Amino acid sequence: DVFAELAELGVLGLTFGEEYGGAGRDVVAAIAVIDELCTRGTALAGPFVHSAMYAGLNLTESGSETQKRELLPRVAAGQCLFAYGLSEPDVGGDLASVKTRAELHGDVVRINGAKRWCTMARDADYIYCLVKSDPQAPRYENLSLVLVPPSTPGITIHDIDHIGLRYT
């Protein structure tokens, strides 16, 4: 119910432009909201971060115009959540060493690999999946982010128990 109230107040669209249903504020405003939400625990700060930061900032900066027009109004309304699929079981924080690969086959992107610590993956509409897209390119220039719906055939999500939190 409180998450719906944040959407109604316009807080979930804080970091992207009014033309997409947002408020057009900057990351400093988003940090102030996170700080305020955390005064009562992280239960609401997490979904806010997934909306304002994962979706809002990333789509604004790197999304296509079609993605912005289709997805950002849904994010602002609290109807679309994003998760990150960056880290991997054998990679940890060295994200430039990801082993998950994406290959283009006609109009289809085939992804093979495993991700870990994808907070809210089970609840997300899309996972930003960091993939190695060009194995021949130099390090840091061989990576791409692909939006992957968790319901895509072939994806399996396993919960990871953690003190005080629940990861997938």
Side-chain angles (χ1 to χ4, degrees):
D1 291 342
V2 177
F3 189 71
E5 285 184 45
L6 291 176
E8 189 174 312
L9 290 169
V11 175
L12 300 181
L14 192 68
T15 60
F16 49 88
E18 294 177 16
E19 67 271 30
Y20 305 112
R25 302 292 182 206
D26 63 10
V27 71
V28 175
I31 299 301
V33 170
I34 293 168
D35 187 51
E36 189 63 29
L37 291 172
C38 284
T39 61
R40 303 288 275 178
T42 60
L44 285 175
F48 170 75
V49 168
H50 290 258
S51 299
M53 311 299 236
Y54 291 9
L57 292 178
N58 284 309
L59 285 174
T60 296
E61 190 68 28
S62 302
S64 69
E65 189 59 34
T66 299
Q67 289 171 327
K68 292 175 193 178
R69 295 224 178 270
E70 289 180 8
L71 299 174
L72 289 175
R74 291 179 49 216
V75 169
Q79 300 167 348
C80 189
L81 290 173
F82 285 70
Y84 272 153
L86 306 178
S87 187
E88 296 180 355
D90 298 327
V91 172
D94 181 16
L95 298 180
S97 294
V98 296
K99 296 175 185 169
T100 298
R101 290 202 160 173
E103 298 172 347
L104 189 58
H105 296 274
D107 291 341
V108 175
V109 176
R110 184 168 295 138
I111 299 173
N112 288 299
K115 295 296 178 179
R116 180 166 287 170
W117 312 121
C118 302
T119 306
M120 289 184 60
R122 189 175 299 287
D123 300 314
D125 296 282
Y126 295 95
I127 300 170
Y128 282 106
C129 190
L130 181 65
V131 298
K132 188 169 286 186
S133 53
D134 183 353
Q136 306 306 316
R139 184 174 169 91
Y140 303 110
E141 296 176 23
N142 59 352
L143 303 171
S144 297
L145 284 170
V146 180
L147 289 179
V148 179
S151 59
T152 301
I155 293 183
T156 304
I157 298 175
H158 301 283
D159 292 331
I160 300 172
D161 289 325
H162 189 271
I163 295 174
L165 297 171
R166 189 133 179 105
Y167 289 98
T168 51

